mmCIF file of all heavy atoms in Angstrom:
data_model
loop_
_atom_site.group_PDB
_atom_site.id
_atom_site.type_symbol
_atom_site.label_atom_id
_atom_site.label_comp_id
_atom_site.label_asym_id
_atom_site.label_seq_id
_atom_site.Cartn_x
_atom_site.Cartn_y
_atom_site.Cartn_z
ATOM 1 N N GLY A 79 11.556 5.395 -13.985
ATOM 2 C CA GLY A 79 12.262 5.505 -15.253
ATOM 3 C C GLY A 79 11.595 6.543 -16.131
ATOM 4 O O GLY A 79 10.382 6.874 -15.992
ATOM 5 N N ASP A 80 12.345 7.172 -17.015
ATOM 6 C CA ASP A 80 11.883 8.256 -17.800
ATOM 7 C C ASP A 80 11.038 7.749 -19.010
ATOM 8 O O ASP A 80 11.628 7.031 -19.849
ATOM 9 C CB ASP A 80 13.068 9.053 -18.305
ATOM 10 C CG ASP A 80 12.718 10.323 -19.136
ATOM 11 O OD1 ASP A 80 11.488 10.527 -19.254
ATOM 12 O OD2 ASP A 80 13.599 11.048 -19.566
ATOM 13 N N PRO A 81 9.810 8.078 -19.024
ATOM 14 C CA PRO A 81 9.005 7.620 -20.209
ATOM 15 C C PRO A 81 9.414 8.172 -21.580
ATOM 16 O O PRO A 81 9.273 7.543 -22.546
ATOM 17 C CB PRO A 81 7.546 8.034 -19.816
ATOM 18 C CG PRO A 81 7.741 9.140 -18.915
ATOM 19 C CD PRO A 81 8.998 8.885 -18.132
ATOM 20 N N ASN A 82 10.023 9.367 -21.490
ATOM 21 C CA ASN A 82 10.507 9.969 -22.779
ATOM 22 C C ASN A 82 11.714 9.209 -23.358
ATOM 23 O O ASN A 82 11.905 9.296 -24.534
ATOM 24 C CB ASN A 82 10.847 11.458 -22.535
ATOM 25 C CG ASN A 82 9.635 12.246 -22.160
ATOM 26 O OD1 ASN A 82 8.548 12.027 -22.675
ATOM 27 N ND2 ASN A 82 9.763 13.179 -21.251
ATOM 28 N N ALA A 83 12.413 8.537 -22.480
ATOM 29 C CA ALA A 83 13.555 7.693 -22.964
ATOM 30 C C ALA A 83 13.133 6.254 -23.108
ATOM 31 O O ALA A 83 14.011 5.395 -23.226
ATOM 32 C CB ALA A 83 14.745 7.870 -22.021
ATOM 33 N N PHE A 84 11.855 5.978 -23.079
ATOM 34 C CA PHE A 84 11.288 4.603 -23.209
ATOM 35 C C PHE A 84 11.792 3.676 -22.100
ATOM 36 O O PHE A 84 11.985 2.514 -22.317
ATOM 37 C CB PHE A 84 11.596 4.030 -24.594
ATOM 38 C CG PHE A 84 11.089 4.856 -25.649
ATOM 39 C CD1 PHE A 84 11.919 5.643 -26.475
ATOM 40 C CD2 PHE A 84 9.660 4.944 -25.968
ATOM 41 C CE1 PHE A 84 11.408 6.483 -27.496
ATOM 42 C CE2 PHE A 84 9.164 5.729 -26.952
ATOM 43 C CZ PHE A 84 10.074 6.535 -27.727
ATOM 44 N N LEU A 85 12.033 4.220 -20.862
ATOM 45 C CA LEU A 85 12.411 3.433 -19.711
ATOM 46 C C LEU A 85 11.238 3.077 -18.892
ATOM 47 O O LEU A 85 11.357 2.260 -17.986
ATOM 48 C CB LEU A 85 13.429 4.202 -18.895
ATOM 49 C CG LEU A 85 14.727 4.538 -19.612
ATOM 50 C CD1 LEU A 85 15.630 5.374 -18.739
ATOM 51 C CD2 LEU A 85 15.446 3.282 -20.121
ATOM 52 N N SER A 86 10.096 3.660 -19.132
ATOM 53 C CA SER A 86 8.854 3.263 -18.486
ATOM 54 C C SER A 86 7.643 3.575 -19.387
ATOM 55 O O SER A 86 7.756 4.339 -20.349
ATOM 56 C CB SER A 86 8.673 3.958 -17.135
ATOM 57 O OG SER A 86 8.349 5.291 -17.324
ATOM 58 N N LEU A 87 6.529 3.003 -19.103
ATOM 59 C CA LEU A 87 5.291 3.239 -19.744
ATOM 60 C C LEU A 87 4.291 3.804 -18.837
ATOM 61 O O LEU A 87 4.045 3.292 -17.681
ATOM 62 C CB LEU A 87 4.733 1.871 -20.341
ATOM 63 C CG LEU A 87 3.348 1.921 -20.946
ATOM 64 C CD1 LEU A 87 3.343 2.751 -22.221
ATOM 65 C CD2 LEU A 87 2.849 0.506 -21.224
ATOM 66 N N GLN A 88 3.671 4.917 -19.200
ATOM 67 C CA GLN A 88 2.674 5.634 -18.315
ATOM 68 C C GLN A 88 1.393 5.794 -19.096
ATOM 69 O O GLN A 88 1.377 6.326 -20.181
ATOM 70 C CB GLN A 88 3.183 6.954 -17.860
ATOM 71 C CG GLN A 88 4.466 6.954 -17.057
ATOM 72 C CD GLN A 88 4.974 8.323 -16.752
ATOM 73 O OE1 GLN A 88 4.679 9.341 -17.449
ATOM 74 N NE2 GLN A 88 5.712 8.471 -15.636
ATOM 75 N N LEU A 89 0.308 5.301 -18.475
ATOM 76 C CA LEU A 89 -1.045 5.440 -19.079
ATOM 77 C C LEU A 89 -2.030 5.879 -18.037
ATOM 78 O O LEU A 89 -1.925 5.448 -16.898
ATOM 79 C CB LEU A 89 -1.527 4.092 -19.659
ATOM 80 C CG LEU A 89 -0.672 3.504 -20.794
ATOM 81 C CD1 LEU A 89 -1.142 2.065 -21.124
ATOM 82 C CD2 LEU A 89 -0.739 4.315 -22.018
ATOM 83 N N SER A 90 -3.018 6.652 -18.473
ATOM 84 C CA SER A 90 -4.087 7.024 -17.530
ATOM 85 C C SER A 90 -5.376 7.154 -18.351
ATOM 86 O O SER A 90 -5.360 7.557 -19.526
ATOM 87 C CB SER A 90 -3.805 8.310 -16.813
ATOM 88 O OG SER A 90 -3.737 9.349 -17.646
#
Side-chain angles (χ1 to χ4, degrees):
D80 185 359
N82 297 321
F84 303 105
L85 299 176
S86 71
L87 173 67
Q88 297 176 336
L89 298 171
S90 63

